[in-house]
Amino acid sequence: MIGARLALSLGALAAVALVCLGFYWSGRRDGAIEERPRTEAALARAEVAARETQGARVSAARVDVVLRRREAAAEVAATLIPQALQAEDADAPLDADRAARLGRADRKLCELAPDLKGCATDRDAGRG
């Protein structure tokens, strides 16, 4: 009798353990299913952040190139302007064709960027 009771008790205990183990794995699986959208969203946000960082690096590199070019142009202008002002023909009048071309170029610049220094606004132009 004791052996049968022991076997029955051990069987019941094993059945309870199997049921508990089933609930445990079911809970783990359900938890993983519930967490999956959050995990995917976090991965997507991380990918977006990585792309934004890469874009910022590329943008900073472009700005650096532009600044270097600007500095180089300023250096060239600083060298050439004094030379041009001291040239033999610096005070000589321009021929009419060249003066007209320069005037057209100035007007075009003022059309593109009316806030440039020396560009007449519409109300200034009417004054004559």
Side-chain angles (χ1 to χ4, degrees):
M1 231 21 203
I2 294 180
R5 243 189 231 168
L6 181 63
L8 187 62
S9 296
L10 286 177
L13 184 62
V16 168
L18 283 175
V19 168
C20 289
L21 186 62
F23 283 140
Y24 172 77
W25 282 112
S26 175
R28 299 256 316 167
R29 185 196 58 201
D30 292 346
I33 290 172
E34 289 175 10
E35 283 295 317
R36 185 177 199 141
R38 291 185 203 135
T39 303
E40 289 174 354
L43 289 172
R45 283 192 302 271
E47 185 176 339
V48 167
R51 288 183 182 180
E52 286 175 347
T53 302
Q54 181 182 9
R57 283 187 195 128
V58 169
S59 181
R62 287 181 183 161
V63 168
D64 189 44
V65 167
V66 168
L67 290 177
R68 285 187 200 166
R69 286 182 184 168
R70 190 158 118 200
E71 289 172 1
E75 289 175 12
V76 169
T79 303
L80 294 179
I81 289 175
Q83 292 174 2
L85 292 174
Q86 294 176 359
E88 289 179 24
D89 61 350
D91 294 324
L94 296 175
D95 61 348
D97 290 339
R98 185 165 184 188
R101 279 196 317 269
L102 289 173
R104 285 192 302 272
D106 282 349
R107 283 189 295 280
K108 185 67 173 175
L109 282 174
C110 287
E111 288 173 12
L112 295 173
D115 294 337
L116 284 176
K117 192 174 189 178
C119 288
T121 61
D122 287 339
R123 53 192 161 97
D124 291 341
R127 292 185 195 158

